[in-house]
């Protein structure tokens, strides 16, 4: 699976370890989720398109490299993807934001769609899809399908923890999509939770446990 990047940086591992701890409080969990999202975003944007613009430093004029921020859309998978937005918007504050509302039916483990809202010209934008957990992979597969129906051609995925099963499913269906994760865990349990994971990301971000 050549397009799956597990970012092995000590800072990311350190912050993720604190998130995994069941005694970590909501506010710290949220802050760490945003921090890690920012670091993953830094990696995912390393080959983003740039252009040159003439600027004047206090010393002389020069051709400066810039990113066309408006060509990038961060799409958060509700609810838990919202917990990644503030962090990633710190590195590209003028990027557009879209939302896909999905929840996982706890009995069937299938993703159920309840809301979508995208920037107007999403089909021409580079989309970075945000969801902290890839368990069965169903939510991401459905999100990609929705984006492709809207004509989106460029999609990357950012996630904190993925299961091997979920990654395989996404990779089997969409070979060309890059996935950036902070950790690939052992497996799924019988309830579809990632092991060891961090529990229910949405509940821990919003304090709804
Ligand atoms: C969680 C998580 C993912 C999904 C992952 O969302 O944020 O979206 O489960 O599971 P999957 O890979 O098996 O689809 P959840 O359905 O709990 O909704 P929430 O974010 O509203 O809590
Ligand atoms: N969703 C979560 O938030 N956590 C899991 O472990 C699996 C799905």
């Amino acid at each position: 699976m050549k397009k799956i990047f597990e970012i092995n940086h000590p800072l990311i591992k350190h912050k993720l370890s604190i998130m995994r701890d069941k005694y970590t409080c909501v506010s710290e969990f949220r802050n760490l989720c945003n921090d890690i999202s920012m670091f993953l975003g830094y990696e995912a944007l390393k080959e983003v398109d740039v252009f040159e613009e003439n600027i004047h430093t206090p010393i002389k004029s020069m051709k400066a490299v810039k990113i066309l921020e408006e060509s990038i859309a961060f799409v958060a998978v509700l609810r838990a993807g919202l917990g990644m937005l503030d962090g990633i918007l710190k590195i590209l504050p003028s990027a557009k934001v879209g939302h896909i509302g999905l929840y996982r039916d706890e009995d069937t483990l299938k993703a159920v769609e309840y809301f979508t809202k995208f920037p107007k010209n999403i089909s021409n934008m580079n989309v970075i899809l945000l969801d902290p957990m890839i368990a069965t992979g169903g939510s991401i597969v459905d999100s990609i399908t929705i984006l492709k129906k809207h004509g989106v051609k460029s999609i990357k995925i950012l996630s904190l923890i993925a299961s091997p099963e979920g990654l395989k499913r996404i990779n089997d269906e969409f070979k060309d999509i890059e996935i950036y994760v902070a950790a690939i865990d052992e497996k799924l349990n019988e309830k579809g939770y990632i092991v060891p994971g961090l529990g229910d990301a949405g509940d821990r971000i919003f304090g709804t446990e």
Side-chain angles (χ1 to χ4, degrees):
M1 296 195 273
K2 279 188 299 204
K3 303 255 175 182
I4 295 171
F5 303 99
E6 182 182 7
I7 311 302
N8 281 313
H9 192 291
L11 253 183
I12 291 187
K13 299 293 177 197
H14 169 74
K15 286 175 183 277
L16 187 60
S17 299
I18 302 172
M19 289 184 78
R20 289 180 188 275
D21 189 329
K22 69 176 181 180
Y23 297 109
T24 296
C25 69
V26 172
S27 63
E28 196 175 8
F29 191 91
R30 275 186 200 145
N31 288 338
L32 293 162
C33 189
N34 279 309
D35 286 354
I36 295 176
S37 303
M38 190 168 64
F39 299 145
L40 292 175
Y42 176 81
E43 285 292 327
L45 289 166
K46 62 180 182 273
E47 281 167 18
V48 72
D49 291 338
V50 294
F51 66 97
E52 282 187 340
E53 187 178 84
N54 272 325
I55 62 156
H56 304 276
T57 78
I59 311 297
K60 74 183 283 273
S61 60
M62 66 172 283
K63 278 195 172 149
V65 172
K66 291 203 168 169
I67 295 172
L68 190 60
E69 292 194 43
E70 293 78 9
S71 70
I72 294 170
F74 297 124
V75 173
V77 181
L78 306 181
R79 290 175 302 165
L82 288 177
M84 302 175 73
L85 258 184
D86 285 353
I88 197 133
L89 282 171
K90 272 197 190 139
I91 50 175
L92 279 185
S94 299
K96 307 278 179 176
V97 174
H99 299 86
I100 297 178
L102 293 177
Y103 69 87
R104 200 169 69 137
D105 183 299
E106 293 299 334
D107 296 322
T108 63
L109 297 184
K110 292 222 162 69
V112 182
E113 182 184 339
Y114 60 89
F115 180 77
T116 54
K117 184 79 183 170
F118 297 132
K120 258 198 196 118
N121 51 346
I122 186 107
S123 59
N124 297 319
M125 301 179 86
N126 297 303
V127 170
I128 303 204
L129 192 54
L130 309 173
D131 190 333
M133 307 301 278
I134 298 176
T136 65
S139 302
I140 287 291
V141 165
D142 286 5
S143 300
I144 295 170
T145 306
I146 292 167
L147 288 168
K148 283 188 177 271
K149 269 193 205 148
H150 281 77
V152 178
K153 292 165 280 298
S154 163
I155 305 172
K156 289 183 185 182
I157 298 161
L158 252 59
S159 189
L160 267 53
I161 305 183
S163 74
E165 297 92 325
L167 289 176
K168 182 174 180 317
R169 178 163 171 200
I170 299 165
N171 192 66
D172 286 350
E173 299 210 27
F174 305 104
K175 291 227 167 356
D176 55 331
I177 290 184
E178 290 180 5
I179 308 177
Y180 292 81
V181 293
I184 301 173
D185 273 9
E186 282 168 43
K187 58 176 182 180
L188 292 179
N189 69 13
E190 62 292 346
K191 288 187 174 158
Y193 275 84
I194 301 175
V195 180
L198 49 69
D200 187 305
D203 281 346
R204 295 198 64 189
I205 289 166
F206 296 106
T208 48
E209 288 166 280

